[in-house]
Amino acid sequence: MPFAPFIGVNHHGQSILLGCGLLFSEDSSSFIWLFNAWLTCMYGCAPKAIITDQCRSMGIAIERVFQNTKYRLCFWHIMMKLPAKFGAHTQYKSLKQTMKNIVYNSITIDQCDYEWMRMVDDFQLEDSDWLNSLYRERSKWIPVYVKHHFWAGLSTSQRSESRNSFFDDFVHSKTSIKQFVEQYDRALKRNIEKEMKLDFQSYNSSLSVVCGYPVERQFHSLYTNDILRIIHNEVAGMLYCEIQNIQQEGPTHVFDVLENILGSAGETLRDVWLKVHYTAMGNFVKCQCKMFEFRGILCRHILMVYRRMKVDQVPERYVLNRWRKDLKRGYQSITNIYDFDVFESQRKRYNSLTPMMHLFQQLASQSEDNTSVASRLLEDIIQKLMLDFDNSSTSSTPATNPPTEKVIHSPVRVKARALY
């Protein structure tokens, strides 16, 4: 049966399995059923963004069910088709390099369109139906067209494929449905343990700063270690950047930043010019590379401008909660089979309140009056609950018996039980 996983990114930048489905077939009706099932499980909350391969039936289902979701195609899958489509071309190597340069290195949409048309003329590809279809759908896959939306750094669907290979350690072609459910839970347990380990490391160990820049130290106190490594890469990348020119446009300064980029092995340095707009009032900043919009992390070009303008604290708008190590995630309170018994009743109570809270938020947000009334009610309820909690905590005694973990059978034992 086709396995359809929903893969996201957690606060460590690691892949997280949000859910999955087993389908009878891969036609549009099956995907429509799958996406509607997702909406049911998520109380009507659709994904903000989704990446898939060039599956036409999946695209039809997404446009019908997730109408307000940003939808793009995996450009890695598209580029992998180049040998099959143009391998017989007499100038294939040059054509491949030209197309890769357009897809990966275009800074602006106008530059991308110009270089694409030039490529079509130079290699006489006017009659290529595949290439023409790609150009018509360029707003769904070429990075320069989609990087102004937030994708948590995702550019391809390879995380989904790597997650499929992750399950190879737990299931195989002979696995029954019953075994799959049990082994699926076991695979999730490994994910949860890995995330808890990363949480512990982020709280209890700190990475060394690269240069001691105050902005860098600010992120050190807020972000997880894995995200800090990306920040470190951008801080180190400032060595290859240089501000060449500054222009004034009203209250905004426009910086021309020159970056020296070293390509793959054997390639020489190439110069890339980028414009950074900076407004002193509020420290608003925007870079032409769109790294913050796309990945949620400030780029080296913005850091260069902040250092030039002596900005030592990044405004809160540029510090995303999704990368913070001190933020409590809602999915961490969901009951699962790996919970200790001592926590199970608490999480069941939490889950029973979740749908009511969603309905409360929807009704309260309908008007300003509803929001005002709901806010007053919540404040009264929170104060009462906190008072009750303080009274109960002072009168209660700590538990002396350690929690016992539920038994999770090994893959060998599960398989043996099915066979015999």
Side-chain angles (χ1 to χ4, degrees):
M1 299 178 70
F3 177 61
F6 288 80
I7 307 299
V9 179
N10 65 6
H11 49 302
H12 299 283
Q14 306 292 327
S15 298
I16 179 173
L17 182 64
L18 305 175
C20 73
L22 291 172
L23 304 178
F24 180 75
S25 63
E26 297 184 72
D27 55 17
S28 58
S29 59
S30 296
F31 285 115
I32 289 174
W33 170 86
L34 176 66
F35 296 150
N36 281 321
W38 168 274
L39 290 178
T40 301
C41 295
M42 296 295 293
Y43 302 105
C45 182
K48 293 183 179 180
I50 189 168
I51 304 174
T52 72
D53 58 15
Q54 286 181 290
C55 176
R56 180 57 182 163
S57 57
M58 196 185 304
I60 293 173
I62 290 173
E63 292 175 357
R64 183 174 301 181
V65 181
F66 299 146
Q67 298 179 359
N68 297 321
T69 297
K70 298 296 181 183
Y71 170 49
R72 61 179 288 194
L73 302 174
C74 168
F75 70 78
W76 180 82
H77 278 94
I78 293 175
M79 299 301 290
M80 287 295 291
K81 294 180 180 179
L82 280 177
K85 298 296 182 179
F86 298 120
H89 197 283
T90 55
Q91 297 176 285
Y92 169 69
K93 290 185 177 180
S94 179
L95 168 60
K96 179 182 177 181
Q97 184 60 40
T98 301
M99 189 167 179
K100 286 176 63 177
N101 184 61
I102 294 172
V103 172
Y104 294 114
N105 299 328
S106 292
I107 302 298
T108 65
I109 291 177
D110 291 340
Q111 175 193 2
C112 177
D113 289 344
Y114 172 79
E115 295 294 339
W116 187 283
M117 292 301 179
R118 182 179 174 184
M119 176 187 69
V120 171
D121 292 338
D122 291 345
F123 296 98
Q124 300 178 353
L125 301 173
E126 295 86 353
D127 298 329
S128 173
D129 294 335
W130 181 71
L131 203 64
N132 290 333
S133 67
L134 289 183
Y135 185 72
R136 287 193 298 270
E137 291 191 317
R138 63 192 182 279
S139 61
K140 289 184 178 180
W141 69 278
I142 298 182
V144 71
Y145 278 91
V146 300
K147 64 183 181 181
H148 54 283
H149 294 295
F150 181 71
W151 297 91
L154 292 174
S155 297
T156 71
S157 61
Q158 283 180 284
R159 284 181 183 256
S160 176
E161 295 179 358
S162 64
R163 185 57 48 179
N164 288 340
S165 63
F166 167 80
F167 277 103
D168 290 342
D169 294 337
F170 298 91
V171 298
H172 50 81
S173 60
K174 302 296 183 181
T175 301
S176 66
I177 292 293
K178 180 178 181 298
Q179 287 177 306
F180 171 79
V181 173
E182 294 172 337
Q183 294 299 85
Y184 178 86
D185 284 334
R186 189 175 180 85
L188 288 185
K189 181 182 179 182
R190 179 185 291 183
N191 268 9
I192 291 174
E193 290 173 345
K194 181 180 179 181
E195 183 169 312
M196 291 176 64
K197 181 179 179 180
L198 292 174
D199 286 341
F200 179 83
Q201 291 174 349
S202 293
Y203 271 107
N204 296 279
S205 63
S206 58
L207 303 179
S208 300
V209 295
V210 175
C211 66
Y213 179 37
V215 168
E216 182 189 0
R217 293 188 180 277
Q218 179 185 359
F219 285 121
H220 261 257
S221 64
L222 300 173
Y223 282 175
T224 61
N225 286 346
D226 291 275
I227 302 303
L228 284 178
R229 291 186 178 93
I230 303 176
I231 299 289
H232 286 177
N233 186 59
E234 295 307 308
V235 173
M238 294 168 62
L239 295 173
Y240 301 94
C241 297
E242 181 181 353
I243 295 176
Q244 294 280 0
N245 187 35
I246 305 175
Q247 298 177 352
Q248 186 81 26
E249 294 182 1
T252 301
H253 292 81
V254 181
F255 294 80
D256 291 326
V257 180
L258 173 64
E259 180 181 4
N260 301 122
I261 298 178
L262 180 62
S264 56
E267 294 185 8
T268 58
L269 284 170
R270 60 185 179 90
D271 293 338
V272 176
W273 289 90
L274 294 147
K275 291 187 179 296
V276 179
H277 291 73
Y278 170 77
T279 304
M281 183 66 69
N283 289 328
F284 284 92
V285 67
K286 181 176 290 188
C287 181
Q288 202 172 17
C289 77
K290 303 289 185 184
M291 180 175 176
F292 178 77
E293 290 81 357
F294 173 76
R295 200 167 189 174
I297 296 173
L298 292 181
C299 63
R300 59 195 65 182
H301 320 112
I302 288 177
L303 296 179
M304 279 287 295
V305 170
Y306 270 162
R307 190 176 68 175
R308 176 69 173 267
M309 302 306 292
K310 295 180 171 50
V311 176
D312 293 336
Q313 287 290 313
V314 173
E316 285 296 321
R317 73 180 72 91
Y318 301 125
V319 180
L320 297 194
N321 285 336
R322 71 155 12 256
W323 303 134
R324 295 176 68 110
K325 59 184 175 183
D326 60 349
L327 186 67
K328 180 67 175 177
R329 268 80 186 174
Y331 68 80
Q332 294 174 326
S333 299
I334 298 174
T335 301
N336 53 60
I337 68 170
Y338 339 113
D339 288 332
F340 296 143
D341 292 336
V342 69
F343 301 131
E344 188 172 358
S345 59
Q346 179 182 349
R347 291 197 175 186
K348 284 182 177 179
R349 293 193 295 269
Y350 179 95
N351 291 341
S352 67
L353 293 172
T354 299
M356 289 187 287
M357 291 303 301
H358 279 288
L359 180 59
F360 181 85
Q361 289 174 315
Q362 292 175 4
L363 295 176
S365 61
Q366 295 298 319
S367 66
E368 290 291 340
D369 291 338
N370 288 0
T371 302
S372 179
V373 171
S375 298
R376 290 196 298 270
L377 287 174
L378 280 179
E379 289 176 358
D380 293 340
I381 294 172
I382 290 173
Q383 290 180 1
K384 182 180 183 304
L385 293 177
M386 291 182 66
L387 181 62
D388 293 341
F389 177 78
D390 292 337
N391 292 335
S392 62
S393 61
T394 55
S395 61
S396 62
T397 57
T400 58
N401 296 326
T404 57
E405 187 177 3
K406 294 186 176 181
V407 177
I408 305 297
H409 295 298
S410 68
V412 176
R413 183 173 178 181
V414 172
K415 183 176 181 181
R417 185 176 59 192
L419 290 175
Y420 298 106

